[in-house]
Amino acid sequence: MPELMQFLLSGLTVGAVYALVALGFTIIYNASDVVNFAQGEFVMLGGMITVFAYGAGAPLPLAAAVAILTTVFVGVALNKLAIEPARGAPVVSLIIITIGASILIRGVTQIVFDKQIHRFPAFTGDAPIPFFGATLLPQSLWVVGGALTVFVGLYLFFTKTLTGKAVLATANNRLAAQLVGINTGWVMTLSFGLSAAIGALAGVLVTPITLTSYDVGIGLALKGFAAAMLGGMGNPKGALVGGLLLGVIEAMTAGYLSSQYKDAAAFVVILAVLFAMPQGLFGAKSTERV
Amino acid sequence: MLEIKALKSAYGRIEVLHGIDLSVSSGEIVTVVGANGAGKTTLLKCLSGVQPVIGGSISFRGETMTHVPGHKRLKRGLAQSPEGRQIFTNLSVEENLRLGAFLFTDARVDQDMAEAFQMFPVLKEKRNLNAGGLSGGQQQMLAIARALMGRPACLLLDEPSMGLAPILVAQIFDVVKGLKALDVTVLLVEQNAFGALSIADRGYVMETGRVTISGSAKELIADPRIREAYLGH
Ligand SMILES: Nc1ncnc2c1ncn2[C@@H]1O[C@H](COP(=O)(O)OP(=O)(O)OP(=O)(O)O)[C@@H](O)[C@H]1O
Ligand SMILES: [Mg+2]
């Protein structure tokens, strides 16, 4: 039994990161119908920039802030330089642009930093906390707590603020949003910035546990995509549940089958969702009534 | 109030408006009637800045606004209730109305919402429901109410009677007529030529991207060409 608990805890920790990546997918997908495969690079940038800022002598919170802000800048630039100019192109082209952007970001990171594996210290030490026979790293609490804070914060933003509702309105009907005076171009910028910030935060939180390097983004993008599919693309609640579920499935696969099959879990999930329930657990965008 | 001169617009390379001249004076209800595909919706989209203009000009309240971006036109006093209603189906009725007043955060927003509910009591009953679940007539009321929440000086209405039962059509036309009392100038696009002309002051007939006939609503209703083409006798 302690074994099961241990797998569950590590699954939920990794799952919280997948949930944040899936949330990033969701936000951009809702604003623009684009599946942004550069989402994983935002996570990588969050971790890598923190590593190097910390290494250069900045205190950890400052290093993390620099990393998140820089990543937001990259996200906004991606929208302004690559997505916005291609406005009106088929969605598939836009998705390919994001794949191209992710390759570019990875390449530049490799040149600016290096190809090594890095970490920085956990926020509050590494002393394991006993938990129902299993043990829990303090950093895991940061990861899960951070993810929950982001989800609650975003829920409040979308349901309680006029700006949040303007984002939802733009996602639902871009034409009508413009007619009521919403600058939909700005909403796109906001969505990319927000997704980048969430991705970078995930990278900052998880790097002490999983370590980072210039190429961790591809895997994370795929896992986050699988999580978003599982939960239902476009649904924040789906991103949360899908992410946690995928993390747990992966941990159980690694624990009870073999860690060799761990990464296959995400692909099996994608295929199973496509075959069995293309809408995902929480359905897609609500269907329009004519 | 609204002056349109030689307006041209195209989808890709296909020009669909070939030089439209049209004007609306303050306080008027002006209607544009015409068959399917005449370009009425395209004209309104140009006016709202959500469709590129490739020639001619639009001036509104004495200022040129041919190329002002779409989201800035409401601030200048021009609102639109678009074809097909285009309500925010994933948000509640009340949220739709609140977003209609997206530009404002003052106390008048609540006041305007109360007035909208007075104008359309059924919306008040359903204020917390998802707008996507409303009937066609209710969605049309919501689209008009949402546009009015933006405090327009001029309201563009695209086929508000489309797909509605006759009793609802009459109700919607009554509301449009009532906008005069609220100091809202109206440009009404309709396929229901008779209904539109009976509440309008003046009218234009559009055919394949051109204005072919224009005049007072009375003249147009009596015009044999219009009676034959649009009024069914
Ligand atoms: N998005 C589009 N892409 C290409 N052509 C379009 C598009 N929308 C409209 N058109 C064409 O432009 C012309 C004018 O269409 P528009 O929708 O403005 O007409 P309308 O008078 O509003 O018609 P209806 O009464 O059916 O609403 C038509 O020939 C139509 O086929
Ligand atoms: Mg039309």
Side-chain angles (χ1 to χ4, degrees):
Chain A
M1 239 29 208
E3 209 177 34
L4 176 66
M5 181 54 84
Q6 193 63 57
F7 296 151
L8 202 58
L9 291 180
S10 61
L12 289 175
T13 305
V14 187
V17 175
Y18 296 164
L20 288 176
V21 181
L23 184 62
F25 273 112
T26 298
I27 292 170
I28 290 181
Y29 177 78
N30 278 343
S32 63
D33 290 333
V34 173
V35 178
N36 171 33
F37 279 104
Q39 192 63 36
E41 310 311 322
F42 296 156
V43 184
M44 180 276 289
L45 285 175
M48 285 295 273
I49 298 172
T50 306
V51 165
F52 281 84
Y54 181 69
L60 198 50
L62 179 65
V66 168
I68 293 172
L69 285 178
T70 311
T71 309
V72 166
F73 179 79
V74 171
V76 169
L78 169 64
N79 178 45
K80 289 276 174 209
L81 301 179
I83 303 293
E84 221 176 72
R87 180 77 147 276
V91 168
V92 177
S93 312
L94 296 176
I95 292 173
I96 292 170
I97 288 176
T98 69
I99 295 176
S102 78
I103 295 171
L104 177 72
I105 294 171
R106 218 175 299 145
V108 171
T109 308
Q110 190 186 132
I111 294 165
V112 173
F113 301 128
D114 59 25
K115 292 192 188 182
Q116 310 301 313
I117 295 173
H118 296 278
R119 70 164 290 190
F120 46 83
F123 300 174
T124 45
D126 292 310
I129 306 163
F131 188 85
F132 290 101
T135 57
L136 185 62
L137 289 173
Q139 191 65 24
S140 288
L141 292 175
W142 280 99
V143 173
V144 173
L148 291 179
T149 307
V150 167
F151 273 91
V152 171
L154 230 60
Y155 174 78
L156 295 175
F157 172 66
F158 283 127
T159 54
K160 305 286 180 216
T161 72
L162 191 59
T163 309
K165 284 176 190 173
V167 176
L168 294 181
T170 304
N172 185 245
N173 193 320
R174 176 177 294 267
L175 169 71
Q178 282 176 287
L179 293 178
V180 299
I182 295 169
N183 182 347
T184 54
W186 184 82
V187 168
M188 284 275 284
T189 301
L190 178 73
S191 303
F192 273 85
L194 201 58
S195 287
I198 290 170
L201 177 69
V204 170
L205 293 172
V206 82
T207 294
I209 300 177
T210 58
L211 314 189
T212 192
S213 77
Y214 78 100
D215 61 355
V216 297
I218 320 169
L220 285 166
L222 278 171
K223 306 290 175 62
F225 178 67
M229 293 276 292
L230 177 59
M233 190 55 98
N235 186 323
K237 209 189 314 164
L240 179 61
V241 176
L244 295 177
L245 211 54
L246 180 63
V248 170
I249 293 172
E250 241 186 49
M252 297 296 166
T253 311
Y256 290 115
L257 288 173
S258 155
S259 57
Q260 274 182 317
Y261 296 136
K262 179 171 85 77
D263 290 330
F267 293 99
V268 174
V269 165
I270 293 182
L271 290 177
V273 170
L274 283 177
F275 280 118
M277 43 166 195
Q279 304 289 305
L281 293 171
F282 290 87
K285 287 182 186 173
S286 62
T287 45
E288 313 234 334
R289 179 172 168 154
V290 188
Chain B
M1 165 169 274
L2 181 63
E3 288 281 343
I4 303 163
K5 292 212 178 90
L7 192 75
K8 291 186 177 183
S9 183
Y11 292 99
R13 285 199 204 127
I14 303 164
E15 188 177 289
V16 296
L17 297 183
H18 312 292
I20 303 283
D21 292 291
L22 187 153
S23 69
V24 182
S25 305
S26 186
E28 273 190 314
I29 297 179
V30 172
T31 185
V32 175
V33 299
N36 263 329
K40 307 179 298 294
T41 297
T42 307
L43 172 64
L44 291 198
K45 282 186 171 172
C46 289
L47 296 178
S48 284
V50 292
Q51 161 73 18
V53 168
I54 58 168
S57 67
I58 301 166
S59 95
F60 183 61
R61 295 166 118 182
E63 285 180 68
T64 306
M65 67 169 193
T66 319
H67 298 292
V68 170
H71 66 270
K72 291 194 177 151
R73 301 210 179 186
L74 185 58
K75 204 177 273 169
R76 301 201 177 194
L78 191 62
Q80 181 178 165
S81 159
E83 181 173 70
R85 290 97 197 206
Q86 315 289 346
I87 55 163
F88 302 120
T89 48
N90 60 339
L91 297 174
S92 73
V93 168
E94 189 169 331
E95 286 170 324
N96 269 268
L97 293 174
R98 181 61 192 89
L99 281 163
F102 176 72
L103 300 174
F104 309 107
T105 49
D106 54 7
R108 211 185 118 185
V109 173
D110 291 338
Q111 211 176 310
D112 285 349
M113 194 164 324
E115 274 168 31
F117 285 146
Q118 212 166 10
M119 192 182 269
F120 303 111
V122 64
L123 295 183
K124 184 170 189 177
E125 271 167 47
K126 311 218 163 184
R127 61 196 291 173
N128 294 318
L129 298 184
N130 215 302
L134 297 180
S135 72
Q138 292 160 354
Q139 292 197 359
Q140 186 57 57
M141 294 173 195
L142 180 57
I144 294 176
R146 181 182 65 187
L148 290 174
M149 290 295 293
R151 306 175 193 173
C154 178
L155 174 61
L156 310 173
L157 281 165
D158 198 346
E159 304 218 33
S161 78
M162 185 168 49
L164 300 187
I167 181 154
L168 282 171
V169 173
Q171 195 188 341
I172 295 284
F173 279 134
D174 270 348
V175 166
V176 176
K177 209 170 153 186
L179 293 178
K180 261 197 177 171
L182 301 176
D183 271 335
V184 179
T185 304
V186 175
L187 180 58
L188 168 67
V189 155
E190 265 296 340
Q191 282 198 43
N192 178 346
F194 184 75
L197 286 169
S198 38
I199 58 164
D201 299 301
R202 291 188 302 114
Y204 293 81
V205 177
M206 261 180 87
E207 277 166 38
T208 57
R210 289 192 173 79
V211 170
T212 49
I213 311 172
S214 64
S216 75
K218 277 203 184 100
E219 284 164 17
L220 293 182
I221 283 191
D223 192 311
R225 290 169 297 176
I226 292 174
R227 297 189 77 87
E228 189 168 338
Y230 301 106
L231 305 180
H233 47 145

